[in-house]
Amino acid sequence: MFRNYFKVALRNIRRQKGYSFINIAGLAIGMACSILIAIFVLYELSFDKHHEKASQIYRIGAQFGPTTDMRGAFTAPPMAQALLDDLPEIVHAARYSPWPRNYLVSIGEKKFLEKGIKYADASIFDVFSIPFTSGNPKTALSDPFTIVITEDISRKYFGDENPLGKTLRFEDREEDYLVKGVVENCPGNSHFQFDMIASYLSRKGSRDTGWMGHSLFTYVVLQEGVILSQLEAKFQNFIPKHFGPQFFAQTGTRYEDYLKDEKNYYGYFLEPLLDIHLRSDANENLSIRGRIVYIYVFSIIAIFILLLACINYMNLSTARFSKRSKEVGIRKVLGSVKKQLVFQFIGESILFSFIALVLSILAVKTVLPAFSNLADRQLSFHLFGDVWVLPVLIGYALFVGVLAGSYPAFFLSTCQPVHTIKGSLYKKTHGNLLLRRVLVVLQFSITVFIFLGTFVISSQLRYVRNQKLGFDKEQIVVIPRAFALGRQADAFKQELLKYSSILSLSNTESLPGRHFNPNGHRLEGRPATEEHTLYTMYGDHDFLKLLNLEIEEGRYFSREIPADSISAVVINETAVKELGLKEPIGKRFHREFGDAAEGEFVTIIGVLKDFHFLSLHYEILPMIIRPLSEREWFYTSIKIRPENIKESLGLIEKAWRTFSGGQPFEYSFLDEDFNNLYRAEQRTGKISSIFFFLAIFIACLGLLGLVSFSAHQRTKEIGIRKVLGASISRIIYLLSKEVMILVIVSTFIASPIAYFVMSNWLQNFAFRIKMTVWMFILTALTILFMAILTISYQAIKAACANPADALKYE
């Protein structure tokens, strides 16, 4: 029996190649999409799970205000040791330097600019599972000026030689580091990436005991069975013990009195390692984190596209099986029971599903490199890589086959032989026609939902790209590591300003879109408990001109006034509101952040109009610009003319190599850097767009089946109407009307759901578009146009058929 069913299935595939191709192609596309999304989702969920103690590892964070907006991942330098001393629940603790600073590293004549150098305590290898290929993890970082490198770095600098005991030179710091270990390359699914880890004891201030500054990540390993809430409750005593005395020494206020003001808050929290990549709400992170909401979105898209493919198969299969109604009747007359017929048709569906699975695997293998690049992830798919992959795929194909084939199988197996043999199958199947229409509505509701989501995401990204930020970010070349110029910085600047293509140049410690330190500031004469957090950056006299910032009140730093480089600051309009100042010019802050000492002040000399120094995910926050003389600068930014950018870059590079002593030249453009703040949304938008087009393609295949079915069922009716004078346009309208109604119904069903979901997504942005009725109208018109385009060929073909042939039908 099984052999007979198999032969019949193969014969039907050969006889109806067009329908078979469409069915298999639809299933293959749906399965390939869902497999690709599953690979991406599983990869995102796998972050940091490779560590042996992953479930026990936590990152300490600090909260500086009553709301979670002020939660940061940085902690004070002495935090790790204090936790070990005071809290027995903590087994290991390690500090890790988060700054992605670039260093010039050399060995002999080999010199490379390295971006992946981090500093950490020796205990970092007790916290994380970082496999060593050579060296001893217990002693690798126990001494100053020791370093552990990855296998790639080992080959880069030492080739096939054993690097242990050899020395790497950090040119910028004029320091030599002894290689004491080689580890495996850092996996892509780790929230922190590194090429080299140097001993934290090598850093200046490595034994800093100050609790007022936060500059490091602190990771801890907890004992098994520790209740997190109980451990966090112990911070209530931990903070006054360690942070309190220094807070009093610097502010003159007891920490307990500071907390009496409800606006003031300072505390620590524990963040599970496995939550950092997708669920972290801390403002700082080592890498661009994912978002759990996108995991949900992509998972829903995968399910939706698979449903589209299955519904498409059901509709096409029903239309195709209509030609097999007599076969069903004859089988029943010859003794076939319902169970056997169901088994036959579901078996055929499973055969289609397995063929589609093979094609989908080939498609996934082909497009995965491009998809990995689009998703910005190191995705891989190995059919025999894990023992569970092949069984899961086989089970997946069986599930899809049964799901897609269940409706056609039960539909045909319930028909009476007297109707099927006479060819009157469809006169008794009004309920099935209703179900088919419901499936089409569901299919296009899903398509409308995906289209609207893609439309809103692309509109929001276009909005943030075109939104006026309050500063000019175009044609600004950013050079990091500007400290390498040293005393030649002024000569470098003067050399470039000789050229007409160079408009201005500025040195800064940070730039819009990059990290700004939140620091506490207290105005002169205000109570010590009244501290305001201002986001701080350091800039030179030309920063205003570089970004074309506007002064609302007062003035900016001037070279003509020497005191500006010592005791002047500029704040933004939001800071004025935060401080409650009616006349801000001339008001003074204590020089040090929160310093209680009298007589040491900095004076507000100007107020800047608000500008977006952070991404549009955030409201404009209170900020302060302090003179660069207080801080080492890191960036040199150069405004160039838009004409002949290549030539200007050549001039900049030549000057850089001359005045930096031949150091490597690297640069970026400020506008591109700022747009990268929306990389996760850009990635989501691109992926959603691709899956939308695939979804609409699959849905249109389903429409093709529905119109084919309708035309087949109404062949004689069409012939009679043409004989009685119906025009071709009238026949086309007759066949298309139902589909257009179903698409419109789908739009009305999907629109409220899409509105609710996308409204919630837009809440991630402080500045966002408004969803208007035109978005929904445009969506409906687009989907309707695609539907009409799909069904037009089949409708025109049926309308133009010879009525004589139609009347002879059956």
Side-chain angles (χ1 to χ4, degrees):
M1 181 177 67
F2 176 79
R3 184 178 179 183
N4 174 260
Y5 290 162
F6 186 70
K7 284 184 176 180
V8 170
L10 291 179
R11 286 171 184 167
N12 278 294
I13 291 175
R14 287 197 300 268
R15 287 174 183 171
Q16 302 185 46
K17 296 182 179 65
Y19 275 115
S20 299
F21 171 78
I22 292 174
N23 259 331
I24 292 172
L27 282 177
I29 292 172
M31 294 173 81
C33 290
S34 57
I35 290 172
L36 280 173
I37 293 175
I39 292 171
F40 173 77
V41 168
L42 290 174
Y43 183 86
E44 290 290 283
L45 294 174
S46 71
F47 262 71
D48 297 310
K49 288 185 177 180
H50 55 278
H51 297 293
E52 182 182 349
K53 304 169 186 174
S55 61
Q56 298 169 248
I57 300 174
Y58 290 79
R59 185 173 69 182
I60 308 294
Q63 185 168 329
F64 303 95
T67 68
T68 56
D69 292 339
M70 298 297 293
R71 287 163 72 90
F74 292 139
T75 53
M79 168 69 78
Q81 189 58 50
L83 291 171
L84 289 172
D85 293 340
D86 289 16
L87 304 177
E89 295 90 343
I90 294 177
V91 181
H92 299 291
R95 296 172 296 181
Y96 186 83
S97 171
W99 298 111
R101 192 168 186 175
N102 305 342
Y103 292 95
L104 185 64
V105 181
S106 67
I107 179 170
E109 296 300 319
K110 292 182 180 179
K111 291 185 179 182
F112 299 99
L113 199 60
E114 299 293 350
K115 299 180 180 180
I117 300 176
K118 310 296 180 184
Y119 287 82
D121 288 327
S123 55
I124 195 73
F125 303 117
D126 295 323
V127 176
F128 297 107
S129 303
I130 303 176
F132 272 67
T133 57
S134 60
N136 184 351
K138 298 295 183 184
T139 60
L141 298 179
S142 57
D143 298 319
F145 304 107
T146 54
I147 196 168
V148 171
I149 61 177
T150 62
E151 293 174 310
D152 281 351
I153 292 296
S154 177
R155 284 189 291 269
K156 182 177 179 179
Y157 284 89
F158 304 102
D160 295 329
E161 297 180 18
N162 182 2
L164 295 187
K166 293 184 170 59
T167 301
L168 289 173
R169 176 78 171 172
F170 281 29
E171 297 284 352
D172 298 325
R173 306 183 65 160
E174 298 182 348
E175 295 171 347
D176 295 319
Y177 285 77
L178 182 68
V179 179
K180 295 194 67 176
V182 179
V183 298
E184 294 180 3
N185 295 325
C186 194
N189 58 344
S190 174
H191 84 281
F192 67 91
Q193 301 288 318
F194 62 87
D195 294 319
M196 307 180 190
I197 301 181
S199 170
Y200 184 76
L201 298 175
S202 314
R203 295 190 60 172
K204 294 179 180 178
S206 60
R207 303 189 184 278
D208 182 11
T209 58
W211 285 85
M212 300 299 287
H214 295 72
S215 58
L216 298 169
F217 284 167
T218 301
Y219 294 91
V220 297
V221 179
L222 305 186
Q223 293 181 355
E224 293 185 9
V226 172
I227 299 175
L228 199 61
S229 58
Q230 294 180 359
L231 179 59
E232 286 184 323
K234 291 188 175 182
F235 286 141
Q236 294 179 2
N237 296 324
F238 180 89
I239 296 172
K241 176 181 176 181
H242 296 281
F243 178 78
Q246 292 189 17
F247 182 81
F248 177 77
Q250 190 163 346
T251 65
T253 303
R254 294 174 64 248
Y255 175 69
E256 293 79 1
D257 295 334
Y258 170 77
L259 292 182
K260 291 178 180 178
D261 189 332
E262 61 181 16
K263 295 181 180 179
N264 298 329
Y265 178 85
Y266 179 79
Y268 300 120
F269 61 92
L270 292 165
E271 193 169 35
L273 175 69
L274 298 180
D275 285 351
I276 289 176
H277 178 63
L278 292 175
R279 296 181 175 86
S280 175
D281 60 358
N283 290 330
E284 299 91 9
N285 272 286
L286 287 170
S287 61
I288 296 177
R289 61 178 180 236
R291 294 179 184 272
I292 191 65
V293 65
Y294 294 144
I295 299 302
Y296 297 145
V297 168
F298 286 128
S299 298
I300 291 171
I301 289 176
I303 294 171
F304 280 178
I305 288 181
L306 184 61
L307 275 176
L308 286 174
C310 291
I311 293 171
N312 167 61
Y313 179 89
M314 293 176 188
N315 284 328
L316 284 173
S317 296
T318 305
R320 183 172 64 89
F321 287 153
S322 65
K323 297 183 178 180
R324 299 175 63 183
S325 57
K326 290 185 179 180
E327 175 194 340
V328 174
I330 292 172
R331 284 185 179 275
K332 282 199 168 187
V333 169
L334 293 178
S336 290
V337 296
K338 179 180 177 180
K339 181 179 179 181
Q340 291 173 316
L341 291 171
V342 169
F343 180 79
Q344 176 190 354
F345 292 121
I346 287 183
E348 289 186 12
S349 176
I350 291 173
L351 175 62
F352 273 75
S353 180
F354 271 95
I355 296 173
L357 176 65
V358 173
L359 294 176
S360 68
I361 290 173
L362 293 175
V364 168
K365 286 283 189 180
T366 303
V367 305
L368 189 59
F371 183 73
S372 298
N373 185 58
L374 178 64
D376 195 23
R377 294 288 184 263
Q378 300 174 11
L379 305 179
S380 61
F381 177 63
H382 303 290
L383 197 58
F384 303 102
D386 293 296
V387 294
W388 56 268
V389 175
L390 194 57
V392 166
L393 288 175
I394 292 173
Y396 179 56
L398 288 172
F399 170 75
V400 172
V402 172
L403 179 65
S406 57
Y407 168 52
F410 284 98
F411 164 50
L412 287 172
S413 63
T414 55
C415 297
Q416 297 298 319
V418 63
H419 296 141
T420 56
I421 293 174
K422 287 181 178 179
S424 57
L425 170 65
Y426 299 104
K427 296 176 184 178
K428 309 294 182 182
T429 57
H430 298 295
N432 290 303
L433 289 175
L434 177 62
L435 177 59
R436 189 178 301 108
R437 289 166 183 159
V438 170
L439 291 175
V440 171
V441 169
L442 175 60
Q443 196 175 37
F444 272 87
S445 295
I446 292 171
T447 307
V448 169
F449 177 85
I450 296 175
F451 180 84
L452 265 173
T454 304
F455 188 22
V456 171
I457 290 172
S458 61
S459 298
Q460 175 65 20
L461 289 177
R462 187 164 53 251
Y463 172 79
V464 298
R465 284 196 299 268
N466 299 326
Q467 171 76 352
K468 291 184 178 180
L469 301 174
F471 69 92
D472 186 2
K473 59 183 172 66
E474 306 300 326
Q475 278 79 50
I476 294 181
V477 180
V478 178
I479 303 177
R481 300 182 64 256
F483 56 82
L485 292 167
R487 296 180 179 179
Q488 296 295 316
D490 286 338
F492 173 74
K493 180 177 182 178
Q494 295 306 318
E495 174 66 21
L496 286 179
L497 290 177
K498 292 178 182 178
Y499 302 103
S500 60
S501 59
I502 307 299
L503 299 177
S504 61
L505 184 148
S506 174
N507 297 321
T508 57
E509 175 260 350
S510 187
L511 283 167
R514 290 172 168 82
H515 178 74
F516 280 62
N517 286 315
N519 292 303
H521 289 73
R522 184 165 64 89
L523 285 167
E524 179 187 15
R526 297 280 181 90
T529 56
E530 188 179 319
E531 188 175 79
H532 299 272
T533 299
L534 305 181
Y535 284 76
T536 309
M537 76 157 293
Y538 298 83
D540 66 7
H541 300 83
D542 299 306
F543 181 65
L544 186 81
K545 179 181 177 182
L546 175 81
L547 297 186
N548 196 24
L549 299 175
E550 295 184 44
I551 287 286
E552 174 67 19
E553 186 178 354
R555 61 180 178 82
Y556 191 68
F557 304 135
S558 172
R559 288 188 176 87
E560 307 301 322
I561 305 175
D564 282 3
S565 299
I566 302 173
S567 59
V569 296
V570 176
I571 61 177
N572 67 352
E573 293 174 295
T574 300
V576 173
K577 296 174 185 176
E578 167 71 17
L579 297 167
L581 296 175
K582 292 183 178 180
E583 297 180 0
I585 304 302
K587 295 294 189 296
R588 300 196 300 179
F589 290 110
H590 291 277
R591 170 172 291 281
E592 297 301 326
F593 307 126
D595 192 357
E598 297 297 333
E600 293 292 330
F601 299 101
V602 291
T603 304
I604 300 173
I605 64 169
V607 177
L608 288 172
K609 284 190 175 181
D610 281 338
F611 66 97
H612 294 274
F613 59 92
L614 298 176
S615 75
L616 296 185
H617 292 100
Y618 305 98
E619 297 280 357
I620 296 178
L621 298 172
M623 74 166 298
I624 182 171
I625 301 178
R626 299 175 72 108
L628 189 65
S629 56
E630 297 182 10
R631 191 94 162 195
E632 179 185 46
W633 80 93
F634 187 72
Y635 298 102
T636 290
S637 302
I638 305 167
K639 177 79 171 179
I640 63 176
R641 295 188 185 277
E643 303 84 20
N644 207 340
I645 294 176
K646 186 176 181 180
E647 180 182 338
S648 298
L649 289 174
L651 294 173
I652 295 170
E653 181 177 5
K654 181 181 177 182
W656 170 265
R657 293 192 182 279
T658 300
F659 293 99
S660 69
Q663 294 212 24
F665 175 68
E666 62 172 345
Y667 70 93
S668 62
F669 285 94
L670 183 59
D671 57 342
E672 294 177 357
D673 293 342
F674 204 87
N675 288 337
N676 281 337
L677 298 175
Y678 313 106
R679 189 185 302 174
E681 288 77 18
Q682 291 169 349
R683 178 185 65 199
T684 302
K686 290 177 181 178
I687 294 175
S688 299
S689 298
I690 291 172
F691 287 130
F692 162 70
F693 286 112
L694 293 174
I696 192 68
F697 176 74
I698 295 172
C700 288
L701 286 179
L703 275 189
L704 183 64
L706 181 65
V707 174
S708 299
F709 174 80
S710 178
H712 171 80
Q713 182 184 358
R714 305 170 73 171
T715 302
K716 186 171 289 188
E717 177 192 346
I718 292 170
I720 294 172
R721 286 181 179 274
K722 290 195 72 176
V723 168
L724 294 177
S727 63
I728 291 178
S729 59
R730 182 66 183 174
I731 299 298
I732 294 174
Y733 171 74
L734 180 70
L735 293 174
S736 307
K737 178 179 67 173
E738 181 183 17
V739 171
M740 290 189 286
I741 292 173
L742 294 179
V743 171
I744 292 171
V745 170
S746 301
T747 304
F748 278 104
I749 291 174
S751 294
I753 301 173
Y755 178 83
F756 174 77
V757 173
M758 297 316 299
S759 293
N760 282 321
W761 178 80
L762 287 170
Q763 297 303 314
N764 291 314
F765 294 85
F767 298 86
R768 50 188 177 267
I769 61 171
K770 292 183 179 179
M771 297 180 67
T772 65
V773 67
W774 288 107
M775 289 184 173
F776 299 93
I777 293 174
L778 182 60
T779 297
L781 292 175
T782 302
I783 301 296
L784 193 60
F785 172 77
M786 298 295 292
I788 292 174
L789 195 65
T790 301
I791 64 179
S792 58
Y793 169 74
Q794 191 68 35
I796 293 171
K797 179 182 176 182
C800 295
N802 189 335
D805 295 333
L807 294 174
K808 291 177 184 178
Y809 183 71
E810 299 178 340

